[in-house]
Amino acid sequence: MKALAARRRHPLATVVVTLMALLVVGGAYTALTPSKAVAAAASTADVQAGRELFLANCANCHGLQAQGTDAGPTLIGVGAASVDFQVGTGRMPLSANLPQAHDKPVQFSDEQISQMAAYVAQLAPGPAIPAAEYQEFTDDPERISTGNELFRTNCAMCHNVVGAGGALTRGKYAPNLQDVSAKHVYEAMLTGPQSMPVFNDANITPEEKQDIASYLHYVGTQPTPGGLSLGSLGPVSEGLFVWVGGILALVGCAVWLGARAS
Amino acid sequence: MSSILTDKRTATLAGYVDDRVGASKIVKTFARKIFPDHWSFMLGEIALYTFVVLLISGTFLTFWYTPSMALTTYEGSYAPLVGQTVSEAYETTLNISFDIRGGLLMRQIHHWAALLFVAAILAHMARVFVTGAFRKPRELNWIVGCLLAILALAAGFTGYSLPDDLLSGNGLRIISGVIQAIPVVGTYLAFFIFGGEFPGEVIIPRLFILHVMLIPAALLALIGVHLGLLVLHKHMQFPAPGRTNTNVVGYPVFPVYAAKAGGFFFIVFGVVVLMAAVVTINPIWAYGPYDPSPIGAGTQPDWYILFVDGALRLMPGWLGPIPTEFTTFGYVWSLNILLPGAVVPGLMIMALFAYPWVEQWLSGDTREHHLLDRPRNKPTRTGLGVAALVFYVVMALAATNDLVATHFHISINDMTYVLRTLFFVGPPLAFWVTKRVCLGLQRRDRDLALHGRETGRIVRTADGEYFEVHEPLDVYERWNLVQQEADQLVPLPTGKASGLDKLRARMSAFFFEDRIEPVTPAELEAAHAHDDGHGRALEGDTDPHAVSASGRGSETGHGH
């Protein structure tokens, strides 16, 4: 302390103090700033492997530089989330030129998908794969209730009130959502695949996206309180059941009673 | 000793009551009332019994239901809705479903019974129509039946809306749109019904009072009239040997029908409870509370209203360059909603009411009928019935277009084009096919009556001639094939015919010109003389070898 005090008039003292102050402020800034929701930066090796997978499996339609062709859109700027969703649900690579891509068995390993995502992500900034905390379902009832309300207001008009799916124009459709992972629900909202609009983080926050996914998980996994759900399709399947099940059974009984008489 | 005493007491009591009420006469007459037997006569019974189930289960539901649109915060047992703002009607329906013991089962019993009620009515009406059970003297009862059917739809629709859930709220929104489409007065009517701008705060209580008081009371009264007229007219019967226009062959109410009908009631109740216990209906917790902004994909009404929804979905907004909604003199004409939403159902109901008189006018037949028609013997009527059903089903199918599209991987647009075509082409096609099938069946009946059943046994005569052995029908069986009357055309009156006469003659020809004449006794006689050889061949049939050995085949004619 004495030594420090003795040197306080040293010509370099101002410089040292300024440097130390900068270090403290800078350190505090780094410590307090929220980190970006980007998974660990991809290595060059991953990007390279992803590029090779891309050239072998995707470039035919999306172009050698992912610039897009007549057969497929550009992937520059779609982000890692888009790749993770499209390839991770089996929608890509496309199996046939239909009105819309169907989900089907996934064609690549998780590692390969992340390599392709890394390649597409470094082409231009775009939506990243959600942080690990948003890839889980929550079982907080309050948040499920919020998810229910948000889903009813924003999603049910296409996906049906319990996510059973619905029709769109010319053979396109909003798919069934009852068995979709939290990550993929999140990514779909973030990237707006195919006919779906984008619900960005300002519109529906990451927590709310997780609430919606959790509500879908809840209705998809909880037993239906009333018994068999008939596909959760509402009055049409109920009406069909009344005619095929109810009336037929009762007419059968009536025939039986009539036969007993004679 | 004591049993004699008891008998005496019972007799005294019965005598006391009878002296004052005079019930014995009524009971005696009614207990001996004869009813004919056929399974199709029990379709109406299904409707009656489901109605009883509806009254019982509905009363249970009113104990806990609050018909109020006042807003509250849901705090019940269904977790995904806790904390959301809902109406009291919705909250109490949720409470019935999750917090009242047996409540969900009762709700499901009530709703399944309602769907079955309307389905049974439709099936019953179809039976009455194709068998001609609406003919004189039963035309008025047909009208009562039609009113019952309309009331059943009204009861169903008002009840469907009561939980104030998202699905039914969207249905109400469509109804309010249809009301608004009525020219000039539509908007006033809508404001009057909903007490202001949709959805307002009064529609649920209003629908509730209609659903639990006015409509059931009218239904009960009309069911009374319907059954009263049934007893008065006696039940119709299918033709058979010994059954005539002036008798009824069957069993007395007591004990046979009392037991059978009682048993059938419990069967119906049992089937309804089984359905309610196993299969979900109207899961309002999944739909969420009503709020005018959201809507769910796959929003449809209950099955019996599907046809109105379907007609609305089929109606194009533009006919080529002409819009179906336009404004003249400051009034909006929403023909795109008015035609499918009100005009089509209205015309269907009018046709239903008018049919017995139309047919009477065209056949000129004003006699009483107590024997049912076999549907094939009235090809035009049966054809019209099937055409009407096809018309109804095409529209109902149009209301399910989104579900059909996703489940069968069809473009919803293509489906709409196909159904629009079928809307016009389907009913005439169904009419034509049904009529041809009926005529074909009649020809077959005629052939059977005249020449008997083909046995499939080929016999060679001594001369080497082959013929198939025909086995004549027994007289009881044959009677059913030959008993019907020939249809008569209404001819153009001699002298000066008015336009109406001409129309009547033309339509009568459309109804009755294509026909297979019933077999006359003379024809039967002639056919039997002709087939005599075969008849005799049959007698020797116990030993097939005897036929060829006897050589009698040489004089027989050959098969047909």
Side-chain angles (χ1 to χ4, degrees), chain B residues 326-514:
Chain B
F326 49 86
T327 310
T328 49
F329 309 116
Y331 285 109
V332 178
W333 297 82
S334 295
L335 298 186
N336 53 347
I337 297 171
L338 189 68
L339 287 180
V343 174
V344 168
L347 288 177
M348 283 168 71
I349 289 168
M350 274 163 64
L352 209 59
F353 276 93
Y355 188 81
W357 285 275
V358 172
E359 199 186 282
Q360 204 173 72
W361 187 55
L362 297 178
S363 63
D365 183 357
T366 50
R367 295 165 305 161
E368 287 205 357
H369 290 278
H370 298 287
L371 281 176
L372 293 166
D373 287 320
R374 300 176 76 216
R376 67 184 62 176
N377 289 340
K378 299 287 173 192
T380 307
R381 179 203 293 153
T382 308
L384 286 175
V386 175
L389 274 186
V390 166
F391 188 59
Y392 184 87
V393 169
V394 164
M395 287 191 285
L397 208 58
T400 69
N401 59 0
D402 48 344
L403 297 175
V404 175
T406 46
H407 285 76
F408 296 94
H409 303 290
I410 303 170
S411 156
I412 202 167
N413 305 54
D414 295 345
M415 199 178 153
T416 304
Y417 300 142
V418 169
L419 287 175
R420 274 178 188 166
T421 314
L422 278 179
F423 179 86
F424 294 104
V425 178
L429 195 68
F431 171 77
W432 183 78
V433 169
T434 311
K435 191 174 166 184
R436 288 294 126 191
V437 168
C438 286
L439 289 171
L441 286 170
Q442 272 186 277
R443 270 192 209 100
R444 192 184 127 75
D445 281 356
R446 193 183 154 82
D447 208 44
L448 267 176
L450 288 177
H451 307 299
R453 187 175 287 115
E454 294 175 358
T455 57
R457 277 184 43 227
I458 311 292
V459 174
R460 192 180 74 167
T461 67
D463 298 344
E465 187 191 12
Y466 289 88
F467 68 87
E468 185 182 4
V469 177
H470 282 231
E471 186 188 349
L473 300 180
D474 73 70
V475 286
Y476 291 96
E477 245 181 293
R478 193 200 297 134
W479 171 257
N480 294 335
L481 309 184
V482 300
Q483 47 74 33
Q484 73 270 29
E485 291 180 334
D487 287 323
Q488 300 294 333
L489 261 71
V490 176
L492 262 180
T494 44
K496 223 172 150 213
S498 68
L500 197 65
D501 287 333
K502 283 181 190 159
L503 176 75
R504 186 184 182 192
R506 254 207 314 279
M507 282 179 66
S508 181
F510 166 78
F511 256 72
F512 302 116
E513 201 161 43
D514 287 343

Side-chain angles (χ1 to χ4, degrees), chain B residues 54-55 57-69 88-90 92-93 96 110 154-164 168 172 193-194 201-217:
Chain B
L54 283 168
L55 289 181
S57 54
T59 307
F60 179 93
L61 296 177
T62 58
F63 294 163
W64 286 282
Y65 172 75
T66 309
S68 156
M69 293 171 91
E88 283 182 13
Y90 185 71
T92 49
T93 315
I96 290 172
H110 193 68
F157 195 83
T158 49
Y160 167 85
S161 302
L162 290 185
D164 200 20
S168 69
L172 267 184
I193 291 169
F194 288 92
E201 285 167 350
V202 295
I203 189 66
I204 295 289
R206 284 181 181 177
L207 289 176
F208 176 71
I209 208 66
L210 290 177
H211 183 74
V212 302
M213 199 183 81
L214 200 60
I215 295 172

Side-chain angles (χ1 to χ4, degrees), chain A residues 224-249:
Chain A
T224 46
L228 303 173
S229 69
L230 298 179
S232 303
L233 297 178
V236 171
S237 49
E238 290 160 8
L240 204 61
F241 184 69
V242 151
W243 279 97
V244 177
I247 285 290
L248 219 61

Side-chain angles (χ1 to χ4, degrees), chain A residues 27-229:
Chain A
Y29 175 82
T30 324
L32 297 176
T33 308
S35 58
K36 282 215 162 150
V38 183
S43 69
T44 355
D46 280 346
V47 171
Q48 188 53 35
R51 185 177 137 77
E52 274 160 26
L53 283 165
F54 176 85
L55 289 175
N57 296 289
C58 321
N60 213 17
C61 299
H62 292 293
L64 288 170
Q65 310 298 324
Q67 80 280 20
T69 69
D70 290 344
T74 174
L75 299 186
I76 297 169
V78 300
S82 198
V83 178
D84 192 64
F85 175 81
Q86 298 283 359
V87 186
T89 58
R91 286 181 167 77
M92 289 290 151
L94 210 54
S95 62
N97 197 3
L98 297 169
Q100 118 177 23
H102 303 275
D103 54 339
K104 57 179 186 296
V106 182
Q107 308 290 308
F108 297 97
S109 69
D110 287 349
E111 193 193 356
Q112 288 171 318
I113 294 170
S114 67
Q115 286 166 343
M116 281 185 276
Y119 168 68
V120 171
Q122 57 83 44
L123 295 172
I129 295 168
E133 56 178 305
Y134 298 124
Q135 297 188 13
E136 306 283 325
F137 296 115
T138 166
D139 48 10
D140 177 359
E142 223 169 279
R143 292 189 58 188
I144 289 174
S145 179
T146 310
N148 179 6
E149 207 165 0
L150 286 167
F151 186 81
R152 193 163 64 238
T153 319
N154 294 289
C155 324
M157 69 283 283
C158 295
H159 286 286
N160 161 304
V161 282
V162 289
L168 303 174
T169 52
R170 300 224 171 270
K172 296 194 280 286
Y173 62 93
N176 184 314
L177 301 180
Q178 285 180 352
D179 196 23
V180 182
S181 70
K183 182 173 74 160
H184 288 147
V185 172
Y186 191 111
E187 287 169 347
M189 280 187 268
L190 201 59
T191 61
Q194 309 189 47
S195 308
M196 184 163 160
V198 171
F199 296 89
N200 62 31
D201 287 352
N203 190 332
I204 294 179
T205 66
E207 282 78 16
E208 288 171 342
K209 288 191 174 79
Q210 190 179 20
D211 296 349
I212 288 173
S214 304
Y215 164 70
L216 288 170
H217 180 69
Y218 181 91
V219 290
T221 51
Q222 290 294 309
T224 46
L228 303 173
S229 69

Side-chain angles (χ1 to χ4, degrees), chain B residues 200-237:
Chain B
E201 285 167 350
V202 295
I203 189 66
I204 295 289
R206 284 181 181 177
L207 289 176
F208 176 71
I209 208 66
L210 290 177
H211 183 74
V212 302
M213 199 183 81
L214 200 60
I215 295 172
L219 271 170
L220 262 177
L222 282 178
I223 287 174
V225 175
H226 203 59
L227 296 182
L229 283 173
L230 163 76
V231 171
L232 185 73
H233 291 142
K234 301 178 181 62
H235 203 288
M236 288 184 95
Q237 56 191 349

